[in-house]
Amino acid sequence: MGGKTKKLAINTGGGDAPGLNAVIRAVVVSALNKGWECVGIRDGYNGLLNPEEYPDGGLVPLTRSRVRGITHLGGTILGTTNKGNPTKYPTKGPDGKMYEKDRSDELVGLFRQNGIDALVALGGDGSLGIANVLAEKGLRAIGVPKTIDNDLDRTVITFGFDTAVSFATDCIDRLHSTADAHCRVMVVEVMGRYAGWIALNSGVSGNADAILIPEIPYDIEKLAAALRERPKRGKHYAIVVVAEGARPVDGGVSVVSKELGRAEKLGGAGERVAKALGPLVEKECRTVVLGHLLRGGTPTTFDRLISLRFGAAAVRALEEGRSGVMVALDPPTVRYVPLKEATNRMKTVPLDCDTIKTARDLGISFGD
Ligand code: F6P
């Protein structure tokens, strides 16, 4: 290849998801093979915005040896953050109070100053929305859809989701025997934000008796009535899977906190259901919150493969001169969709989807 070597930067933003390291490896190895130089930005964009905070200057040279043997590792070798949105960067004002500052122009300038020609951003709706802003300001940017929540539009699946669902299903499997032994109702809360994908897929796969998802507000009396039918069929225990974003017909989602510069923290949906359900079913109701366990561990084979495919496709997109697009799975192939379209709206569970129909056919209650 003649001329100046092109340099790409990779960043990982928002909550981590199994498969991030596999994408990083695929991007680096295929880019190096095509004559690019690669660097990684530490902790979202913080490595670029606040280089003084890092002994290595906030940018990590990504060589073959740096990415060797990382495909199966959870987490991200670059670090990530959900507090570093450059368009709403938490900044201390002269009065000592914190406010949100738009640092996106400064960030685009920092890419240029560091000789970086393109960005491959691995993220969910928030991080890819930021990548879209940077692309609109002239930076060449390609997005890779990451999130255990599977709530990104225009792609059939995001990497990390399969690992989260597989682990949740395994946990639900384990809860059947202890729930049975004690004739209890076990309420299992899973992550997923305002979308019910993890709850639905793990609940159906794990033979739950009820699944509560944000897309179908639940009526606790109807849920209790459905569970009271179980003993008549000889089943004296129940498993209820609750998405963290599930809400009653007459209430809102359970929010733990809302901090400056980050999305609201959800939590407590499972406990709320367990407390209300106990007196109505006259059984002990116990809550298990799977939480961050869903984000840890080694990616499943599906997630590894799709991560490697997404990473390699991101570099092909750059080689084809694309920008402002997200790599998306459109089985059997991988294609490119505008970042703007992918981040415009959240992909929630369609109420007429086959998995919901399957659940209903199998007698699983949605509390409606
Ligand atoms: O978006 C991924 C996710 O794991 C959500 O399912 C969850 O609500 C959120 O991140 C938790 O984020 P944090 O680790 O910052 O609390």
Side-chain angles (χ1 to χ4, degrees):
M1 199 183 76
K4 183 179 154 288
T5 303
K6 291 166 293 175
K7 186 159 148 187
L8 70 77
I10 306 174
N11 89 327
T12 53
D16 67 318
L20 280 167
N21 286 322
V23 180
I24 292 172
R25 180 170 162 270
V27 171
V28 171
V29 173
S30 56
L32 292 178
N33 285 343
K34 291 179 167 122
W36 292 75
E37 182 188 341
C38 301
V39 292
I41 309 170
R42 290 220 186 265
D43 303 338
Y45 294 101
N46 279 347
L48 266 179
L49 289 170
N50 306 310
E52 67 288 350
E53 287 177 9
Y54 298 86
D56 59 5
L59 289 180
V60 191
L62 292 174
T63 57
R64 271 175 222 278
S65 61
R66 185 66 193 84
V67 300
R68 190 164 294 138
I70 64 169
T71 302
H72 65 293
L73 299 180
T76 157
I77 60 165
L78 298 176
T80 186
T81 177
N82 49 19
K83 296 180 199 157
N85 182 344
T87 68
K88 293 179 181 172
Y89 205 81
T91 306
K92 198 180 259 180
D95 56 358
K97 284 194 187 140
M98 297 300 285
Y99 71 102
E100 293 178 346
K101 183 179 176 188
D102 185 353
R103 295 184 69 185
S104 54
D105 286 326
E106 180 192 346
L107 183 59
V108 172
L110 287 167
F111 274 98
R112 300 228 162 90
Q113 276 173 36
N114 283 280
I116 299 166
D117 303 288
L119 165 72
V120 178
L122 282 49
D125 57 344
S127 306
L128 296 190
I130 296 163
N132 185 48
V133 170
L134 300 179
E136 285 175 350
K137 290 180 187 259
L139 180 72
R140 285 187 66 195
I142 307 294
V144 179
K146 165 237 69 170
T147 168
I148 63 164
D149 305 339
N150 196 33
D151 59 355
L152 259 169
D153 205 17
R154 303 296 311 276
T155 182
V156 164
I157 215 155
T158 54
F159 74 84
F161 174 65
D162 186 65
T163 308
V165 170
S166 301
F167 183 74
T169 304
D170 188 26
C171 292
I172 296 165
D173 284 348
R174 286 163 188 258
L175 288 170
H176 278 274
S177 54
T178 177
D180 187 8
H182 290 268
C183 291
R184 283 174 174 156
V185 175
M186 295 302 296
V187 177
V188 190
E189 181 185 306
V190 295
M191 281 186 169
R193 277 206 185 281
Y194 312 106
W197 295 103
I198 298 177
L200 178 66
N201 285 20
S202 63
V204 174
S205 307
N207 296 312
D209 299 277
I211 303 171
L212 306 183
I213 59 175
E215 293 83 352
I216 307 177
Y218 64 87
D219 179 331
I220 199 76
E221 298 282 350
K222 288 185 181 161
L223 173 65
L227 296 185
R228 282 195 298 263
E229 288 301 305
R230 297 294 190 259
K232 293 180 194 159
R233 288 189 233 138
K235 192 175 176 194
H236 295 275
Y237 74 94
I239 305 282
V240 180
V241 178
V242 180
E244 63 178 355
R247 61 192 167 93
V249 276
D250 53 357
V253 292
S254 294
V255 177
V256 176
S257 64
K258 171 80 190 96
E259 292 162 31
L260 197 73
R262 58 176 295 177
E264 61 185 8
K265 230 188 260 178
L266 304 184
E271 192 54 25
R272 174 165 66 172
V273 169
K275 275 205 178 111
L277 202 54
L280 299 176
V281 293
E282 292 175 0
K283 274 194 194 318
E284 191 182 357
C285 296
R286 300 289 288 269
T287 312
V288 177
V289 181
L290 297 184
H292 293 85
L293 290 169
L294 299 179
R295 298 215 311 234
T298 193
T300 57
T301 306
F302 179 90
D303 270 337
R304 285 185 210 191
L305 182 59
I306 201 65
S307 299
L308 294 169
R309 289 175 67 192
F310 281 166
V315 177
R316 288 199 299 274
L318 285 176
E319 287 282 289
E320 290 164 15
R322 295 177 195 267
S323 180
V325 294
M326 180 186 84
V327 176
L329 181 67
D330 183 9
T333 196
V334 161
R335 64 190 185 94
Y336 305 109
V337 298
L339 273 171
K340 203 182 176 80
E341 287 178 21
T343 55
N344 236 354
R345 55 162 219 143
M346 193 186 300
K347 183 183 72 185
T348 51
V349 177
L351 295 184
D352 59 351
C353 75
D354 173 72
T355 314
I356 289 191
K357 284 184 191 152
T358 303
R360 291 198 192 278
D361 289 345
L362 295 177
I364 298 174
S365 167
F366 286 94
D368 59 343

